[in-house]
Amino acid sequence: MHKTNKYIGAILAALLVSFNVNAKVLEGSVATVNGRPILASEYNAYLQGVLDQYQATMPQALEQPHAKDILGKEVLQELITKELLFQAAEEAKIQVKDSEIDAGINEIKARFIIDEKTGKEDKAGADKRFNEALKKQNMTLKRYKEKIKKEVAVRKLMTEQLTKTVKPVQEADVKALFDNVQAVLKNDTKKMKALEKKDPAKLEEAQAIAAKLKQLTAEQVRIGHIYLAVTKDMKPADVKKKEELAKQIKKELDNGLDFSAAVQKYTEDKAALASGGDMILIKGIAPKEIDEKAFTLAVGKVSAPIKTDLGFHIIKVKEKRAERTVEFNDIAQQLGQYIAQQRVQEAMGEYVKGLSDKADIKITKTFDMDKEAPKAEGKKEEVKK
C-alpha cells in the first residue's frame, strides 16, 4: 500500500520560495523571532508576489474590505513560521552541501528561461534576467545562496521529522475512507448518523470528497461555445443587435461555416479562444437554459441562439459521457495520497506549533484593520449607553 514517505518530498518542495522581482526594498523589520528580525523588505516582497497572483487570477478578491491586510497577516505568519523552522534547522545542525545549494539556484534560474518581454524561451538570457532580479532585490548572489541554504536545510529537517512521526498509509485506512464516502454518495443515513456521532470531522471530510466525486463522475457533455455578452446597463436596441447577430451566426453555421472558425470570428469569450471555444459541462451546473439544451441535443448538432442573463449563446454538442460509478480500485491511489497529505500537514502543524509555543515572537507590523477595530468597539459602547 502507499507509504506516506513517498509524498513527503513533493509536499515539502513548496518550502523553496522564489522572490518577487518588482518589490521595493524597505528598511526595518515587521517582527522578531527569538530576537531575529523579519525584514520589512522581505515581507513586502513576499506580499507583493501574493497580491500580483490575486490580481492575475482573482482580482475581485482584492476588492473585499481589508483584503490587503488579511493577506498581509497571512504572509507575516508564514514568514514567522519559516524563521522558526530556519532556527530549528540550525539548532539541529542540518548540513547542506554546495551541490544542493547549486541545485536550488538552478531551480530558480529555470524560471527565467522565458523572456517576459517576448514571451519566448531564451535559455541564453536566463542568467542575465536572474542577475537583474537579484539587483532589483538589492541582494547579492552570496546572500541569496545563504537564503537557499537555509531553505534547503528546512526541507531536510522537515523530511527527517516527518519520516519519524508520520504514520504510513495502509490499505485499511484507504478502505475506511472509501466506505465513508460511499455512505454519503448512497445517502445511507444510518451510516452517516453513526459516523457523525463517532467523528463529525470524518463525516465532513467524506461529504467534501463525495461532492467532488459527484462532479467528476456526473453526466457530462463537451460543447463548442459562441458567446455574445449582454450587460444589465445595455440599451434595449443594443441587446436587439446582439440577438440579430446571434441569429445571423446560426444561419452562417447552417450554411456550412465551420464552428471553430465561427468561434474565432464571433465569440466574446476571449479566454476560450485557446481551446477553440470547447468546454466541458457537468449536468446541473451550467445556467438552466444552456444545461437543458446541451444535454438534449444530439452529438454534432448546433443549437439555435440561447438567451440567458449573461447574453446569447450558440453551442455545438461534440461529445457526451454517461454518469459513471466509482469502484474502490478507481480512486484507491488518490485517496491514499489524500490521507498521506493530511497526515503530513497535521504533523507539520503540530511541529510548528511546538516551536511557536517555545519561541519569543514579537510582531511590530501594524494593520489598518486592527486600528479600526477599537473604534468600532467604542461606537458599540456609545450605542449601549
Side-chain angles (χ1 to χ4, degrees):
M1 196 55 210
H2 310 286
K3 301 297 183 183
T4 304
N5 296 350
K6 289 183 180 179
Y7 311 112
I8 290 175
I11 295 168
L12 291 176
L15 288 171
L16 190 63
V17 179
S18 64
F19 49 85
N20 177 268
V21 297
N22 296 316
K24 295 180 180 179
V25 177
L26 300 176
E27 297 299 326
S29 65
V30 290
T32 58
V33 180
N34 295 322
R36 290 192 188 179
I38 294 175
L39 298 179
S41 58
E42 183 181 10
Y43 167 81
N44 281 281
Y46 202 143
L47 177 58
Q48 189 59 52
V50 172
L51 292 173
D52 288 346
Q53 288 181 354
Y54 270 86
Q55 190 61 51
T57 58
M58 293 187 294
Q60 67 279 6
L62 296 179
E63 298 174 3
Q64 300 301 314
H66 301 299
K68 186 174 180 179
D69 275 3
I70 292 170
L71 292 174
K73 287 192 171 190
E74 292 177 359
V75 164
L76 181 55
Q77 185 55 55
E78 188 167 346
L79 290 175
I80 289 171
T81 296
K82 289 180 184 298
E83 181 58 36
L84 285 169
L85 292 171
F86 291 158
Q87 293 181 23
E90 288 180 342
E91 187 176 340
K93 299 188 186 307
I94 299 294
Q95 299 297 312
V96 178
K97 299 176 182 177
D98 289 343
S99 59
E100 293 173 312
I101 298 173
D102 291 339
I105 293 290
N106 289 334
E107 181 182 338
I108 301 300
K109 282 185 177 181
R111 302 175 192 179
F112 291 86
I113 288 177
I114 302 298
D115 186 342
E116 291 185 356
K117 294 179 181 178
T118 64
K120 296 180 180 179
E121 186 175 297
D122 175 26
K123 292 182 180 180
D127 281 351
K128 180 182 177 181
R129 288 187 289 275
F130 171 75
N131 290 326
E132 287 174 350
L134 285 180
K135 188 176 180 180
K136 288 181 180 179
Q137 283 286 312
N138 197 29
M139 184 179 287
T140 64
L141 181 59
K142 181 180 179 180
R143 182 178 160 198
Y144 192 67
K145 283 187 174 182
E146 285 297 318
K147 175 182 171 68
I148 294 295
K149 182 179 180 179
K150 289 170 109 179
E151 293 179 352
V152 173
V154 166
R155 187 158 55 186
K156 295 177 77 170
L157 170 71
M158 292 307 299
T159 299
E160 288 182 7
Q161 290 293 326
L162 297 175
T163 300
K164 290 187 293 185
T165 59
V166 176
K167 181 182 177 183
V169 179
Q170 303 297 332
E171 186 171 3
D173 301 322
V174 181
K175 284 187 175 179
L177 177 56
F178 179 78
D179 289 343
N180 292 343
V181 173
Q182 284 291 90
V184 175
L185 289 172
K186 294 177 180 179
N187 198 27
D188 188 330
T189 54
K190 184 177 179 180
K191 286 186 177 180
M192 289 168 65
K193 285 181 179 179
L195 182 58
E196 184 177 26
K197 185 176 181 180
K198 182 180 179 181
D199 191 339
K202 286 193 176 297
L203 176 60
E204 291 180 6
E205 176 184 61
Q207 288 171 329
I209 295 173
K212 186 65 176 177
L213 279 177
K214 281 182 180 179
Q215 285 192 353
L216 294 175
T217 60
E219 183 180 354
Q220 296 182 10
V221 60
R222 181 169 66 88
I223 65 167
H225 180 225
I226 298 171
Y227 171 57
L228 303 177
V230 170
T231 59
K232 292 182 179 179
D233 59 349
M234 191 173 283
K235 295 178 181 179
D238 292 329
V239 174
K240 187 65 177 176
K241 288 180 181 179
K242 288 289 180 86
E243 183 178 10
E244 292 302 320
L245 176 57
K247 291 177 180 179
Q248 176 194 322
I249 295 169
K250 179 62 166 67
K251 285 183 181 179
E252 291 182 23
L253 290 167
D254 290 343
N255 290 331
L257 176 63
D258 179 73
F259 196 90
S260 295
V263 170
Q264 294 291 329
K265 183 177 180 181
Y266 291 113
T267 191
E268 294 175 11
D269 181 8
K270 302 305 180 184
L273 287 176
S275 64
D278 279 18
M279 62 177 61
I280 301 294
L281 298 183
I282 298 171
K283 192 170 181 62
I285 301 298
K288 183 180 179 181
E289 301 89 344
I290 296 177
D291 193 74
E292 289 179 351
K293 187 62 66 175
F295 286 92
T296 54
L297 273 177
V299 174
K301 297 296 183 179
V302 176
S303 75
I306 304 168
K307 177 71 168 65
T308 71
D309 291 339
L310 300 175
F312 294 93
H313 314 256
I314 300 173
I315 65 172
K316 178 179 181 179
V317 176
K318 296 188 175 183
E319 183 182 359
K320 289 189 174 184
R321 192 177 76 180
E323 184 178 2
R324 296 175 297 154
T325 57
V326 177
E327 303 297 335
F328 175 73
N329 289 335
D330 295 332
I331 59 170
Q333 183 177 1
Q334 290 86 347
L335 290 180
Q337 291 173 337
Y338 167 79
I339 295 171
Q341 289 172 349
Q342 293 300 109
R343 290 181 179 179
V344 166
Q345 289 173 6
E346 183 179 343
M348 287 179 66
E350 290 177 357
Y351 181 69
V352 170
K353 184 178 184 303
L355 295 176
S356 181
D357 289 344
K358 294 184 293 183
D360 177 20
I361 300 171
K362 292 184 174 66
I363 296 176
T364 55
K365 169 69 178 175
T366 57
F367 297 91
D368 290 340
M369 64 185 296
D370 294 332
K371 296 175 185 176
E372 292 180 13
K375 294 180 183 179
E377 289 299 322
K379 288 181 181 179
K380 289 181 182 178
E381 289 298 324
E382 288 179 12
V383 171
K384 287 180 182 179
K385 292 177 182 179

